[in-house]
Amino acid sequence: MPENSEDFYRIQKLPPYVFAVINEMRAKARAAQIDVIDLGMGNPDGATPRVIVNKLVEAARNARNHRYSQSRGIPRLREEITRRYLANYGVELNPDTEAIVTIGAKDALAHLLFATVGPGDAVVSPNPAYPIHQYGVIMAEGHACMLPMPDAATFLNRLEDLYRASSRKPKLLLISFPHNPTTTCVDLDFFREIVRLAALHGTMIIHDFAYADLGFDGYKPPSILQVDGAKEIAVEIFSMSKSYNMAGWRVGFCLGNQKMIAALARIKSYLDYGVFQPIQIASIIGLRECEEDTRKICAVYQRRRDVLVNGLKHAGWPVEKPCGSMFLWAPVPERYRAGGSLEFAKLLLENAQVAVSPGIGFGPLGEGFVRFAFVENDQRIRQATRAIGQFLKS
C-alpha cells in the first residue's frame, strides 16, 4: 500500500501548494483571536442578487428538479448564455453545438484539457498564471510551455519567436484576459493577432474569461469570439462566479468551437450529471434579469481598487492601478525582495495582520510580487493599508 498520497502517479507531478503556508498561518492567527484581514484568495464577499436566490428556493421546492440533470446543461440555460453573448459582444452561437454548461470555470478547464491534450502535447500559456492553467496541463500529460508576460506585447513577441524557432508546434494556447494574477488587459487587436497566429500554425485556443465584466475606468474586456474566424479554432470559458457574486454556486460555460465543445461534452458525460437543476434554473434568471447587478458589482471592485491603491501609495508602496480583474499585482518593496514573495507574505501576516497571495504560488515568474484581492469592504481595506504602512515604516 502507498505510504502517503505522494506515492500516487499524478499527485507526484504536483508541487506543494504554496498558498497553504499562508492559509495555515491565517487560520492559526484567527484561532488565537487575532483579527486578520484576508486579501489573499479571490473569493467574492458580496451577496448573490436576491432574484437569483429567490428563484433557487422556488425551484428547489419542486421535486421534479431533484433528479439527475443533463451534464451539458439544460437547453434554456444554454439558450440564455448565447443570448447574452449576442447582446454584449455581437457574437452568434448555436446553443446546441457551441455552448455547454460546466461546474464552474475550473471544471471546464480541467476537463477540456483532459479531452484535448495528449502525452507530450505542448500547451502555451503566460507565466505567472492561475495554477490550474499550468498544472491542469501537467495532469493531462501535456507539456506546459510557459512564456513570460511582463506585459501583453512581450508575451505576443515571445509567442511569435516560439512559432519561428520550435520544431514542435503548440497544440493549444491557454490564455486569460483580464489576467489573473498580473491583471494584464488587452484589446481586440491583440486577440486578432493571437487568432491569426494560431490559425496559421494549426493551434487551438482556450480563453479563460472569468473576469469578463470587471473592467474599470471605461475599459470593457473584449471576447476572443468577437474576432472573425475565432470559432474555427477557439473556445471561451465564462463564469458566473465574479460577474454575479455566485462563486459557491459553481456555474460556468464553455462557448465556441464545435469540435472542442463536443469533446468536452463527451468527456463530461462520463464524469458528471451536471449542475443541480435548481441552480441552473436560477442562473437563467440571473443572465436574463441581472445585467445591472453586474455593473454594480464592477463598480464596487473599482472603488475598492482605488482605496487599496491610494492607501498603499500613502504607506510608501507605489503600485499601479489595474484596468480590470479583482486583483492588484504589487511588486515586493525593494528592501524585502531578496527574501522572496513567500517570506514577505509571511511578514505582512505576522506584522500587519494582512493576508496576501505570494507571487511564487503562480509560477516561477511570479516571484518578486504579491497579489491582493478586493474581497474586503472599504473600511477594512483602509485598516489593512494603515497596518501595512506602520509595518513598512518600522
Side-chain angles (χ1 to χ4, degrees), residues 219-388:
Y219 170 68
K220 179 177 171 56
S223 162
I224 197 170
L225 298 180
Q226 290 174 262
V227 176
D228 289 341
K231 284 198 296 181
E232 300 301 314
I233 56 169
V235 291
E236 186 160 79
I237 295 168
F238 174 74
S239 165
M240 297 187 77
S241 294
K242 312 306 189 300
S243 298
Y244 297 86
N245 280 340
M246 291 174 65
W249 297 57
R250 310 313 300 131
V251 183
F253 304 90
C254 189
L255 309 144
N257 179 260
Q258 291 188 23
K259 185 177 178 180
M260 295 169 75
I261 297 292
L264 178 58
R266 185 168 181 183
I267 204 165
K268 278 175 62 63
S269 71
Y270 282 90
L271 295 172
D272 67 67
Y273 287 106
V275 178
F276 184 42
Q277 192 149 298
I279 291 177
Q280 295 191 58
I281 293 168
S283 297
I284 293 169
I285 298 302
L287 292 171
R288 188 179 293 166
E289 299 182 12
C290 296
E291 204 64 18
E292 181 59 30
D293 290 272
T294 68
R295 287 187 279 272
K296 290 177 181 176
I297 289 165
C298 179
V300 168
Y301 285 125
Q302 179 171 321
R303 190 180 67 244
R304 291 178 179 182
R305 175 205 65 172
D306 293 343
V307 172
L308 179 61
V309 168
N310 293 337
L312 289 177
K313 285 182 177 178
H314 186 71
W317 187 350
V319 293
E320 296 295 325
K321 276 187 178 181
C323 292
S325 82
M326 57 185 291
F327 304 113
L328 174 69
W329 186 238
V332 174
E334 185 65 41
R335 63 186 283 204
Y336 298 100
R337 204 161 292 167
S341 59
L342 179 57
E343 288 306 312
F344 181 67
K346 289 180 184 177
L347 287 173
L348 284 184
L349 190 50
E350 291 166 354
N351 296 281
Q353 289 75 57
V354 176
V356 298
S357 295
I360 189 64
F362 300 99
L365 298 179
E367 187 52 276
F369 292 82
V370 293
R371 192 195 70 179
F372 290 82
F374 311 146
V375 291
E376 291 271 13
N377 62 40
D378 298 9
Q379 180 183 343
R380 294 279 283 170
I381 291 173
R382 289 191 186 96
Q383 181 184 338
T385 58
R386 282 196 298 271
I388 289 170

Side-chain angles (χ1 to χ4, degrees), residues 159-204:
L159 181 60
E160 290 172 336
D161 292 343
L162 178 72
Y163 276 124
R164 275 194 296 266
S166 177
S167 58
R168 183 172 63 173
K169 302 302 181 188
K171 176 78 171 285
L172 195 64
L173 294 180
L174 175 48
I175 54 178
S176 178
F177 298 100
H179 187 250
N180 176 15
T182 69
T183 74
T184 299
C185 293
V186 300
D187 58 16
L188 205 49
D189 282 341
F190 176 91
F191 280 144
R192 289 191 183 102
E193 186 59 18
I194 285 280
V195 169
R196 185 192 71 80
L197 278 171
L200 184 64
H201 295 282
T203 304
M204 298 179 295

Side-chain angles (χ1 to χ4, degrees), residues 108-118 120-126 132-133 136-138 140 142-147 155 159 162-163 168-175 194 198 201-207 233-237 254 257 260:
L109 270 169
H111 287 159
L112 189 55
L113 289 169
F114 270 109
T116 58
V117 174
D121 284 343
V123 179
V124 174
S125 56
I132 189 68
H133 287 197
V137 174
I138 291 170
H143 169 64
C145 179
M146 313 300 287
L147 299 183
F155 173 74
L159 181 60
L162 178 72
Y163 276 124
R168 183 172 63 173
K169 302 302 181 188
K171 176 78 171 285
L172 195 64
L173 294 180
L174 175 48
I175 54 178
I194 285 280
H201 295 282
T203 304
M204 298 179 295
I205 303 172
I206 300 173
H207 179 229
I233 56 169
V235 291
E236 186 160 79
I237 295 168
C254 189
N257 179 260
M260 295 169 75

Side-chain angles (χ1 to χ4, degrees), residues 23-38 346-355 376 380 383 387:
N23 293 343
E24 186 177 340
M25 288 179 64
R26 181 195 61 218
K28 285 181 178 177
R30 285 182 168 169
Q33 306 301 309
I34 297 171
D35 179 24
V36 174
I37 300 172
D38 188 2
K346 289 180 184 177
L347 287 173
L348 284 184
L349 190 50
E350 291 166 354
N351 296 281
Q353 289 75 57
V354 176
E376 291 271 13
R380 294 279 283 170
Q383 181 184 338

